[in-house]
Amino acid sequence: MHDVRASSYREKEAPRAGHSARRRARVTASRLVVIPDKGRRPVFLYAVVMPSTYTKPLLALEEQLARLVERGMEIRDEESALRKLQAIGYYRLSGYWYPFREEPSDLARPRPSTFAHGTTLDEVIEIYCFDEHLRAALLGAIARIEVALRFWVGHRLGRRGPFAHTDAAQLDPNWSAPRSRICNRPDKLNACSWQDSEHDEWLAKQRQIEDISNEAFVAHIHNSYGKPLPVWTATETMTFESLNRLYGNLLPQDREQIAVELDVLREDGNGDVATFANWIEHLRQSRNLCAHHARLWNRNHTAPLAVPYSSPELQHLLSSNVHGDGAREVSLAARRVYGTITLVAYLLARIDYSNQMRDELLNLVLAFAGNRPERLASMGFPEDWRDQEIWSRDYGTSPERRAQAKLLRQVEVLYAKDAAERLWKKDAEGNRRSLLNYYRKRGALLSVPGTSAHRYPSFQFDTSTGDVYDLVITANRRLLDGQRGSEETRWRALAWWLTPLRALGSSTSPLDALTGNALTQRILDDLLAPRADEQPISRT
């Protein structure tokens, strides 16, 4: 894109289908620069653009090679070198030989064009070939994560309805907030305006993606049921960017639950949405670098990794520098490909329950580095990387954490605000919150996970009375011994509700019996013996 050096400009509406050839030609003749805009129609910037001052001529391959030799690079096989320049390109390789250029005497100035003594084209080509293999391996690993994310977004949102991605009520309200747009045509004779939302824009793009898709399943669903696709199939057609935007605009509880599934947690036990959104963007950018053959091995990433304090195996990605607010800075490791590989290792251990792709990536890197630690340092590997837990042979999420995630997967959980709204028998919001806390502190209402991040399984609430089921209160107080209970006790209580019991039939859990109106006081007494000091809880 040309550098815009004009002091004045005007925003214009882009030409739409149906405009005359003359109109299109006039717009094309104008020097225009696209500027980012979130409206439905693209917006262009009409400006006076200074012509480029670049005057360097194209060099023939032999002249390119001579230029490298003149600047101090060793060429051991001229014929092979010419073939490499033809196959890869001088400019593409320049990013790989840049670190071999001599250091400037004044670090504030750019490096001179001459190469350090001993620089060879063979080593530059070796690094380039390694980077090719690294991109291919990392692209495969990121694809595994992207596919899993497609499932979780479609699965989580699908619980709200097959077309929840089109329903503003099932998404973050800010995404559907209307925006007014005004544009002026280049001839200044007409003006246009419209109103839409970012969700409208996203939906329009998604409809276009579905319309041009040649996937057999898309044609089948459209022909059999009509449009649009259900969300759990629509996610299979989305670009990574579109999927990222959809995740970022789910309701907070849905975003947090997906983060919980992948063990991305805040210190209070809730899903860390901000960190997970950062990770998705980091992976999206990394994927694009890999897919478009960009240099990867020593690149500083434009989306350095966020590091949650709840993940001890990732703390080495933070530097020792501390900001005034007490937060630690991200280190070079988090900005380079080491951070990306570390993130891939963390997530795949929770998606595949396997370290196979982690080990394949690591073995590729170590084979390239050999006995040259500076190569690892260029990729951001810290000196003590081998001592980090995430590279241990048996690294993975704990069986306990896996079991907890499996339990949460089986229920809908409500955050305090939504849970309090279920207690509508109390008129005032403050009274509903007070009742919610009263039930929880007396063990009448189960909240998971943790003791400070209160999320309530929705099956406990009787929507017809605006209260908690009597049998739920009795069962929970017996399971939690009449108090709020420890974290371990709460998980055991949730497991009891979800585990099939022989007394109820081989495939029936207490929750199944409750929802099927088969759970009675007598059956509950047989399943859970009354406490010796059991007293009715106040319901006022």
Side-chain angles (χ1 to χ4, degrees):
M1 183 179 293
H2 291 91
D3 179 32
V4 178
R5 302 175 185 175
S7 60
S8 63
Y9 56 84
R10 298 190 309 277
E11 287 190 5
K12 308 297 181 186
E13 181 192 9
R16 291 170 291 177
H19 283 209
S20 68
R22 180 183 175 189
R23 166 81 171 114
R24 291 194 298 271
R26 187 167 68 248
V27 173
T28 303
S30 304
R31 288 190 176 273
L32 56 89
V33 180
V34 179
I35 62 172
D37 186 84
K38 295 182 179 180
R40 179 174 296 168
R41 300 184 181 97
V43 173
F44 292 89
L45 177 67
Y46 287 75
V48 177
V49 181
M50 297 296 293
S52 173
T53 59
Y54 191 92
T55 59
K56 296 179 182 180
L58 174 70
L59 298 180
L61 291 176
E62 292 78 8
E63 292 175 307
Q64 293 174 6
L65 194 59
R67 177 70 57 84
L68 294 176
V69 173
E70 177 189 339
R71 291 175 175 175
M73 184 178 288
E74 296 180 17
I75 308 295
R76 294 172 182 169
D77 184 332
E78 184 172 323
E79 184 178 348
S80 173
L82 288 171
R83 289 198 302 268
K84 293 299 183 184
L85 287 175
Q86 185 176 26
I88 302 171
Y90 182 100
Y91 190 77
R92 175 175 287 273
L93 284 173
S94 66
Y96 294 87
W97 65 54
Y98 181 85
F100 295 93
R101 286 164 58 172
E102 291 182 321
E103 295 283 350
S105 56
D106 181 358
L107 296 180
R109 299 178 62 83
R111 292 189 183 215
S113 298
T114 51
F115 295 104
H117 178 72
T119 300
T120 68
L121 182 60
D122 287 344
E123 183 172 3
V124 173
I125 296 297
E126 179 192 3
I127 295 172
Y128 175 82
C129 291
F130 160 71
D131 203 37
E132 264 190 330
H133 294 305
L134 178 62
R135 289 195 302 267
L138 192 58
L139 186 61
I142 292 174
R144 190 75 59 86
I145 298 168
E146 180 183 349
V147 168
L149 182 61
R150 290 178 188 276
F151 164 77
W152 281 119
V153 171
H155 182 75
R156 190 70 197 173
L157 196 50
R159 296 175 68 164
R160 298 186 176 277
F163 307 111
H165 61 303
T166 70
D167 184 356
Q170 305 300 332
L171 301 165
D172 190 312
N174 292 325
W175 206 24
S176 57
R179 304 173 303 169
S180 296
R181 292 303 204 203
I182 300 175
C183 61
N184 295 314
R185 299 186 186 281
D187 56 18
K188 299 184 180 180
L189 298 178
N190 298 301
C192 62
S193 65
W194 69 94
Q195 193 173 70
D196 66 358
S197 67
E198 292 186 5
H199 184 221
D200 291 330
E201 173 200 21
W202 181 88
L203 276 176
K205 291 181 179 179
Q206 179 58 28
R207 282 193 293 267
Q208 184 178 29
I209 290 171
E210 293 182 17
D211 288 342
I212 65 176
S213 174
N214 58 5
E215 291 284 355
F217 76 87
V218 174
H220 166 71
I221 293 174
H222 282 176
N223 293 335
S224 301
Y225 307 101
K227 301 177 182 180
L229 296 175
V231 64
W232 50 84
T233 58
T235 54
E236 296 300 320
T237 69
M238 294 176 191
T239 64
F240 205 164
E241 179 182 12
S242 182
L243 184 70
N244 186 10
R245 288 189 69 190
L246 179 57
Y247 168 78
N249 288 285
L250 300 178
L251 289 171
Q253 56 265 44
D254 290 335
R255 276 179 280 160
E256 293 199 13
Q257 184 56 40
I258 293 173
V260 167
E261 290 286 352
L262 295 173
D263 222 6
V264 189
L265 306 173
R266 300 204 305 259
E267 290 181 283
D268 64 2
N270 274 330
D272 192 338
V273 170
T275 291
F276 192 50
N278 164 271
W279 287 5
I280 295 174
E281 178 59 19
H282 181 97
L283 291 173
R284 187 189 71 81
Q285 292 187 18
S286 298
R287 175 189 179 277
N288 288 346
L289 291 173
C290 294
H292 296 288
H293 322 295
R295 176 176 49 83
L296 183 66
W297 80 292
N298 67 343
R299 176 185 292 269
N300 280 321
H301 212 295
T302 57
L305 290 176
V307 180
Y309 289 111
S310 61
S311 301
E313 64 269 58
L314 300 180
Q315 297 310 298
H316 69 290
L317 294 174
L318 296 172
S319 75
S320 56
N321 297 330
V322 181
H323 291 289
D325 60 1
R328 292 163 60 190
E329 293 181 359
V330 293
S331 67
L332 180 67
R335 297 195 300 270
R336 297 243 170 137
V337 71
Y338 173 81
T340 309
I341 297 173
T342 302
L343 174 59
V344 164
Y346 184 91
L347 290 176
L348 287 182
R350 288 147 179 83
I351 292 170
D352 286 348
Y353 302 133
S354 166
N355 293 320
Q356 179 182 348
M357 297 193 83
R358 176 204 72 172
D359 293 343
E360 290 173 357
L361 278 166
L362 195 57
N363 290 338
L364 175 65
V365 168
L366 295 180
F368 163 71
N371 295 319
R372 301 181 60 175
E374 72 275 9
R375 289 189 167 183
L376 289 177
S378 294
M379 290 181 274
F381 277 68
E383 292 184 0
D384 62 347
W385 72 270
R386 290 183 183 275
D387 300 329
Q388 304 304 322
E389 178 190 354
I390 199 163
W391 306 116
S392 63
R393 180 177 179 180
D394 299 322
Y395 173 73
T397 186
S398 68
E400 179 184 30
R401 186 65 63 84
R402 293 182 198 174
Q404 292 170 357
K406 184 177 179 180
L407 291 174
L408 288 177
R409 210 170 293 145
Q410 300 175 63
V411 295
E412 177 191 22
V413 290
L414 305 172
Y415 289 89
K417 181 177 182 297
D418 296 321
E421 289 178 356
R422 298 288 180 100
L423 299 175
W424 53 263
K425 75 170 190 176
K426 295 290 187 179
D427 293 334
E429 179 182 351
N431 292 337
R432 291 193 291 268
R433 283 186 173 271
S434 295
L435 182 60
L436 184 74
N437 291 330
Y438 171 79
Y439 281 157
R440 175 176 52 80
K441 291 176 181 179
R442 283 156 182 76
L445 194 58
L446 174 63
S447 70
V448 291
T451 54
S452 57
H454 301 302
R455 302 195 302 168
Y456 302 85
S458 64
F459 68 79
Q460 303 175 102
F461 299 92
D462 184 349
T463 57
S464 66
T465 64
D467 204 348
V468 178
Y469 287 106
D470 292 337
L471 290 174
V472 167
I473 289 177
T474 302
N476 283 340
R477 285 179 57 77
R478 291 176 183 178
L479 291 165
L480 301 174
D481 200 25
Q483 50 194 317
R484 70 180 69 186
S486 65
E487 183 172 351
E488 182 181 358
T489 303
R490 289 167 181 266
W491 285 117
R492 282 203 306 264
L494 181 59
W496 180 86
W497 277 108
L498 300 175
T499 303
L501 301 177
R502 183 177 300 177
L504 297 174
S506 58
S507 61
T508 303
S509 67
L511 176 55
D512 294 330
L514 176 70
T515 56
N517 294 319
L519 187 63
T520 64
Q521 186 65 53
R522 183 182 63 79
I523 293 175
L524 181 60
D525 290 341
D526 290 340
L527 297 174
L528 294 171
R531 294 166 46 226
D533 60 345
E534 189 166 287
Q535 296 291 330
I537 189 170
S538 173
R539 306 292 293 276
T540 59

